[in-house]
Amino acid sequence: MLNDPFAVAIPLALFLGTILLGLLARRILFRLLRGWARTSDSQLDVLLIDTLRRPIGLWIVILALHVATQNSEIPHRYLQYIPKTLQVLWGLSFTIAISHFAGNMVRYYGSRGRGVKTVTSLSQKLVQLSILILGVMWLLKVVFDISLTPLLTTLGVGGLAVALALQDTLSNLFAGFYVSVSGLVRIDDYIRLNTGEEGYISDINWRCTTMRTRLNNLVVIPNNKLGQAIFTNYFLPDGRLVATILCGVSGDSDIEGVEKILIEEAVAGAAELESVLSEPSPVVRFNPGPWDDALIFQVVFSVTKFGDMPTARSEMRKRIYKRLRKEGIVARFPIDTPPSASESAGD
């Protein structure tokens, strides 16, 4: 029968025809999705395009092979392995596509509405891995008719040995998962460890947490170390921070008069500067008071977020300095922080 040219020509024509129709349908589908993207604020269309771009070509080939073989007069012995092969390819490609789509969904929708990124690469990979495992289990059960009970028992026994051999790796993995889901550390949060390292959280993966310092260097922290560390998160509970600056004047200045000037400028600055909050209202304290032939005052105000702290302190210092000079008062901003005010003066 293979000597008959039509026995091969017809399946080949069906294969090529299905490929062409599939490519045409792919182009129409992507054009519709891009049109939807231009008229919609939803990112679902973008996620679908990103998910389908790679596997849809394989799906077209699988469909073309199925159509060609189902309408072929080629003897069965030449085609007996094709149906199961196509099932495996379809199952694997569909599982990978769903895994990729779920990972993108977690990354995008998990980072919306809170002003910071909340999804780590570890969370995304765990979701993708879970879907891949379910897909492989489905293939083993449905396509190859393999009982999963003995397999799971074997994996359980083998998993114990692997767990003993990979204690450090698993410790980092579970610590990273705990840190990710606890909500105490999020992407782009600024933290300071009790060991002195500080910076913005870049990512949390299966082994370590990466942190970007203000000098744009990268700090790598093993997850199990971060899980046990004492740290300060400057973005929690709500991102607002209390800032202080020390202002000194000559020792013979009028205390009440200086306090009035400082509070007026602090309140005016809070009303005009975007980085400074009006509520709670700024306050001025005569603290630490007389020191090194000067009177030191503490101006306390609230800043919108950690990243605005340097700008807010600089702008508030300029306002106070200009106002004191205008009033004929000699202003001093101490470089060396008095011992009693070292905790509140900040950087």
Side-chain angles (χ1 to χ4, degrees):
M1 188 172 293
L2 290 177
N3 294 326
D4 184 3
F6 290 99
V8 177
I10 293 177
L12 182 60
L14 291 173
F15 176 81
L16 295 176
T18 305
I19 292 288
L20 292 176
L21 289 176
L23 292 175
L24 179 61
R26 177 182 181 273
R27 173 173 292 188
I28 294 174
L29 174 62
F30 282 178
R31 183 174 297 176
L32 291 175
L33 288 175
R34 292 190 181 98
W36 180 25
R38 288 191 292 267
T39 60
S40 173
D41 294 332
S42 172
Q43 293 294 314
L44 185 59
D45 43 10
V46 178
L47 296 178
L48 285 173
I49 292 174
D50 185 57
T51 301
L52 296 176
R53 182 177 289 111
R54 294 184 182 91
I56 198 169
L58 178 59
W59 294 344
I60 293 173
V61 173
I62 292 173
L63 178 61
L65 284 172
H66 177 76
V67 171
T69 54
Q70 290 298 310
N71 295 274
S72 171
E73 296 183 0
I74 299 175
H76 177 71
R77 64 179 180 273
Y78 296 108
L79 305 175
Q80 58 180 330
Y81 297 110
I82 290 182
K84 182 166 288 189
T85 302
L86 295 181
Q87 280 186 291
V88 173
L89 289 176
W90 166 255
L92 285 176
S93 62
F94 186 76
T95 300
I96 293 172
I98 293 296
S99 173
H100 184 67
F101 180 75
N104 287 341
M105 288 278 288
V106 169
R107 185 183 70 246
Y108 176 74
Y109 288 103
S111 302
R112 299 181 63 184
R114 295 179 62 180
V116 295
K117 298 178 183 178
T118 59
V119 177
T120 64
S121 62
L122 177 61
S123 302
Q124 183 180 351
K125 296 300 181 184
L126 285 175
V127 170
Q128 292 178 314
L129 181 61
S130 300
I131 294 176
L132 286 174
I133 291 175
L134 291 175
V136 171
M137 292 175 64
W138 178 84
L139 281 174
L140 293 175
K141 180 66 177 176
V142 176
V143 179
F144 296 101
D145 195 24
I146 297 175
S147 178
L148 298 178
T149 303
L151 181 62
L152 293 176
T153 303
T154 304
L155 289 177
V157 175
L160 180 59
V162 172
L164 292 174
L166 301 176
Q167 290 185 51
D168 291 340
T169 300
L170 293 177
S171 174
N172 284 318
L173 175 62
F174 288 113
F177 179 73
Y178 165 74
V179 170
S180 296
V181 302
S182 67
L184 299 177
V185 177
R186 305 166 301 181
I187 303 300
D188 289 338
D189 281 359
Y190 192 95
I191 69 170
R192 176 180 293 168
L193 303 179
N194 61 326
T195 52
E197 295 86 358
E198 60 182 281
Y200 293 94
I201 297 295
S202 300
D203 193 16
I204 303 174
N205 57 42
W206 65 271
R207 190 189 71 83
C208 63
T209 297
T210 54
M211 189 166 63
R212 177 176 50 84
T213 69
R214 286 197 247 183
L215 298 178
N216 204 32
N217 302 123
L218 192 68
V219 178
V220 179
I221 310 167
N223 289 332
N224 55 4
K225 300 296 184 183
L226 181 61
Q228 299 172 6
I230 299 173
F231 60 85
T232 301
N233 190 330
Y234 291 94
F235 277 67
L236 292 177
D238 56 12
R240 295 179 298 171
L241 293 174
V242 175
T244 63
I245 58 175
L246 296 180
C247 177
V249 297
S250 58
D252 58 352
S253 300
D254 177 56
I255 295 177
E256 285 75 16
V258 173
E259 279 185 333
K260 181 180 178 182
I261 292 173
L262 293 179
I263 193 65
E264 286 178 356
E265 286 303 313
V267 171
E272 296 177 13
L273 299 174
E274 293 183 0
S275 56
V276 180
L277 297 172
S278 298
E279 292 295 335
S281 181
V283 297
V284 175
R285 301 188 180 98
F286 187 44
N287 177 36
W291 180 73
D292 193 21
D293 297 328
L295 302 178
I296 309 297
F297 295 82
Q298 185 184 54
V299 182
V300 184
F301 53 94
S302 296
V303 180
T304 53
K305 58 184 179 181
F306 179 83
D308 292 336
M309 180 78 76
T311 301
R313 289 162 64 95
S314 174
E315 293 299 319
M316 196 66 78
R317 281 194 182 101
K318 287 194 293 186
R319 295 183 62 94
I320 291 173
Y321 180 74
K322 291 178 181 178
R323 175 67 186 278
L324 290 176
R325 286 193 61 182
K326 182 179 179 181
E327 298 292 339
I329 301 173
V330 177
R332 295 178 55 192
F333 292 93
I335 297 177
D336 296 322
T337 304
S340 59
S342 60
E343 184 176 355
S344 58
D347 295 331

